[in-house]
C-alpha cells in the first residue's frame, strides 16, 4: 500500500487509522520485526526496558536524566504524549523534531501500511530508528501494554525495571494480578540486570518465578531520596528505582558519577504528574492517574495538598473510576467522576469549578486526552509550573 505524504506528523500517523488513542494494541512481534527488518537498527551499548502498571513514564524520565548527567548519550521512548507526538522520542532530553520524524515516516510508513502495523508499533520503530541514527549509548524503552507481546520487547535488552503492578488493561493481560504480572515479567527476558519496585506478595512470587535473582527496592532506598522537583510522595519510589538501577549499572562496569546522577534524578520533571499551574491566583493540579492503582499511590500526595475546592476525574469511556470515589470524596468539597473526555465535557467542568466555582485548589485527573484539553484551556504553555 502506498503512503501519502501529509504536511504534518499527525497527518502521517492518521494513515494508520488510530491516531493518538493508543487503543489499537495488537499483540505479537511479527509486525515489529517486519518494520525493523527494513533498516536493522544499531544495538546500543545498553538498552533498558521499563514496564509495570503505573510510574513507568516518571521512572524512565528520571533514569534518562541520571544517565545523561553521567555523560552518556541517552534515547528515551515514552508514551502516551501530552501535547505532541514528538514528546515520545527524546535524545538527550530534546524531543524529536519535524524533520527527523518526517524523514523516518517516509521510510517506515509504506512497510507499516503493508503489514498492518499499529500506531504504537510504528512509534516504537521510529524511536529505534532515530536512536540508531543518533548513535545513542543508552536506550530506555517504556512498555505500552504488558511486556510479553509488546512492541518494545521485540528487540533485546540488557536491563529491566518493573514499576508497581496493579490491575489495568485486563481485556488484554488477564483479570488477576498474577496473570498481569506474568505478562509484565517478560520485560526481564534476556536481561542481565532486573529490578522491581515493592510488589504485592502474589506479584512478587510470579516475578521471582521468572527471575530468581530479581533485585527488589527496599524501604531504605525510598527514604534515602532527596527532595524532588516532581510533586507527590509516590515519586520518591520512582526516583529510588531510577537511582538503584543506576547503581546496579555502576556495579556492572558502567562509569556513573553518583552525585551528578542523583541530582539530575531529583531535578527531573514531567508534565501531567501532579503538575501545579497557577491561574489568576488559583492553583490547578493535573495528574494522569487513570486507574484505581494509580490513585491509591497518589493519595498521600493529595492528602498533603487537600482540601480541594473540586476534584474532576474524567476517563475514557471504556474505564470506570467510580471505585475511587470513597478515597477522593474526603479530600474535596465537590467531586466529579465521569466517563468520556471530549472537549465539551472537560471545558464545562473547568468552567463550573474554576471560573464559577468556589475559591481553592482544583485537581483534574484522568486520561492524557483529558489533561491535554484541560491544560490547553488553562493556557499553561504561557505559565510556569509552581515549585
Amino acid at each position: 500500500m502506498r503512503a501519502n505524504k501529509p504536511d504534518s506528523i499527525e497527518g502521517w500517523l492518521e494513515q494508520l487509522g488510530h491516531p493518538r488513542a493508543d487503543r489499537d494494541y495488537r499483540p505479537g512481534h511479527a509486525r515489529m520485526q517486519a518494520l525493523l527488518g527494513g533498516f536493522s537498527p544499531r544495538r546500543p551499548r545498553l538498552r533498558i526496558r521499563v514496564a509495570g502498571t503505573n510510574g513507568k513514564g516518571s521512572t524512565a524520565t528520571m533514569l534518562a536524566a541520571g544517565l545523561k548527567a553521567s555523560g552518556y548519550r541517552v534515547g528515551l521512548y515514552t508514551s502516551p504524549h501530552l501535547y505532541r507526538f514528538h514528546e515520545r522520542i527524546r535524545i538527550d532530553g530534546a524531543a524529536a523534531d519535524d524533520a527527523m520524524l518526517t524523514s523516518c515516516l517516509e521510510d517506515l510508513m509504506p512497510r507499516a501500511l503493508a503489514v498492518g502495523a499499529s500506531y504504537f508499533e510504528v512509534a516504537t520503530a521510529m524511536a529505534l530508528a532515530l536512536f540508531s541514527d543518533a548513535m545513542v549509548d543508552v536506550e530506555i524503552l517504556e512498555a505500552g501494554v504488558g511486556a510479553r507481546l509488546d512492541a518494545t520487547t521485540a528487540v533485546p535488552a540488557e536491563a529491566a525495571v518493573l514499576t508497581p503492578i496493579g490491575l489495568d488493561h485486563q481485556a488484554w493481560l488477564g483479570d488477576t494480578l498474577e496473570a498481569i504480572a506474568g505478562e509484565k515479567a517478560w520485560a526481564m527476558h534476556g536481561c542481565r540486570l532486573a529490578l522491581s519496585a515493592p510488589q504485592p506478595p502474589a506479584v512478587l512470587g510470579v516475578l521471582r518465578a521468572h527471575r530468581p535473582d530479581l533485585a527488589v527496592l527496599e524501604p531504605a532506598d525510598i527514604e534515602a531520596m532527596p527532595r524532588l522537583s516532581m510533586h507527590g510522595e509516590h515519586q520518591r519510589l520512582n526516583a529510588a528505582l531510577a537511582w538503584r538501577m543506576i547503581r546496579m549499572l555502576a556495579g556492572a562496569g558502567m562509569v556513573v558519577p553518583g552525585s551528578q546522577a542523583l541530582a539530575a534524578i531529583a531535578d527531573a520533571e514531567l508534565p501531567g504528574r501532579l503538575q501545579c499551574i497557577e491561574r489568576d491566583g488559583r492553583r490547578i493540579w493535573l495528574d494522569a492517574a487513570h486507574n484505581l492503582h494509580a490513585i491509591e499511590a497518589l493519595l498521600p500526595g493529595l492528602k498533603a495538598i487537600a482540601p480541594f475546592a473540586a476534584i474532576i476525574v474524567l476517563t475514557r469511556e471504556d474505564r470506570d473510576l467510580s471505585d475511587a470515589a470513597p478515597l477522593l470524596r474526603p479530600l474535596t468539597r465537590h467531586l466529579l467522576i465521569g466517563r468520556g473526555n471530549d472537549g465539551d465535557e472537560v471545558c464545562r467542568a473547568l468552567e463550573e469549578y474554576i471560573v464559577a466555582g468556589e475559591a481553592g485548589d482544583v485537581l483534574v485527573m484522568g486520561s492524557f486526552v483529558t489533561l491535554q484539553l484541560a491544560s490547553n484551556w488553562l493556557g499553561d504553555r504561557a505559565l510556569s509550573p509552581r515549585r
Side-chain angles (χ1 to χ4, degrees), residues 70-377:
S70 301
Y72 296 100
R73 187 162 172 78
V74 181
L76 172 64
Y77 173 59
T78 59
S79 64
H81 58 272
L82 186 54
Y83 297 118
R84 299 199 307 161
F85 177 88
H86 309 54
E87 301 163 27
R88 297 179 180 228
I89 303 171
R90 295 183 177 272
I91 297 172
D92 277 349
D97 60 32
D98 277 349
M100 296 165 63
L101 295 174
T102 299
S103 176
C104 194
L105 283 164
E106 287 177 344
D107 180 53
L108 277 177
M109 192 59 74
R111 288 198 300 280
L113 294 174
V115 302
S118 72
Y119 183 101
F120 185 77
E121 288 167 339
V122 171
T124 306
M126 290 171 67
L128 293 169
L130 292 176
F131 295 159
S132 179
D133 290 345
M135 300 186 69
V136 302
D137 302 306
V138 181
E139 293 178 5
I140 301 171
L141 307 181
E142 178 191 348
V145 175
R148 183 173 65 91
L149 298 174
D150 189 74
T152 59
T153 57
V155 290
E158 287 70 45
V161 179
L162 289 164
T163 67
I165 293 173
L167 292 173
D168 199 20
H169 296 305
Q170 290 96 314
W172 295 310
L173 303 180
D175 292 328
T176 67
L177 280 176
E178 291 88 343
I180 292 172
E183 292 288 322
K184 293 181 184 291
W186 188 260
M188 302 182 289
H189 181 74
C191 294
R192 291 187 292 114
L193 302 174
L195 171 66
S196 173
Q199 306 284 1
V203 169
L204 195 55
V206 172
L207 298 181
R208 284 210 158 118
H210 282 260
R211 185 74 183 237
D213 65 340
L214 174 67
V216 179
L217 203 65
E218 300 289 343
D221 295 320
I222 302 170
E223 294 165 5
M225 287 299 97
R227 183 175 179 178
L228 306 176
S229 291
M230 285 200 235
H231 293 282
E233 192 66 21
H234 62 295
Q235 292 292 359
R236 295 176 65 81
L237 185 153
N238 299 329
L241 277 173
W243 177 228
R244 177 75 179 275
M245 174 49 70
I246 285 177
R247 284 184 290 147
M248 290 171 66
L249 292 169
M254 289 188 71
V255 177
V256 179
S259 58
Q260 293 98 312
L262 185 56
I265 287 170
D267 286 341
E269 292 185 334
L270 192 60
R273 276 71 170 185
L274 208 52
Q275 178 186 4
C276 184
I277 296 169
E278 283 199 359
R279 174 171 173 163
D280 300 328
R282 300 187 67 185
R283 297 191 304 179
I284 296 91
W285 300 83
L286 306 178
D287 196 272
H290 57 271
N291 55 49
L292 182 60
H293 187 252
I295 291 174
E296 288 173 338
L298 190 62
L299 209 56
L302 299 183
K303 288 179 178 178
I305 302 167
F308 293 92
I311 295 178
I312 302 165
V313 186
L314 295 172
T315 63
R316 292 173 5 185
E317 66 277 1
D318 60 340
R319 294 183 181 272
D320 181 5
L321 272 177
S322 58
D323 52 1
L327 300 178
L328 298 174
R329 192 169 287 115
L331 307 181
T332 183
R333 294 192 290 276
H334 301 283
L335 176 63
L336 169 65
I337 296 182
R339 293 184 184 182
N341 45 26
D342 62 86
D344 289 342
E345 185 170 2
V346 173
C347 290
R348 275 197 305 271
L350 293 170
E351 288 283 348
E352 179 177 356
Y353 293 111
I354 295 178
V355 175
E358 304 168 20
D361 290 10
V362 173
L363 170 65
V364 181
M365 288 194 297
S367 70
F368 277 80
V369 174
T370 294
L371 296 197
Q372 182 189 55
L373 292 166
S375 58
N376 287 344
W377 185 89

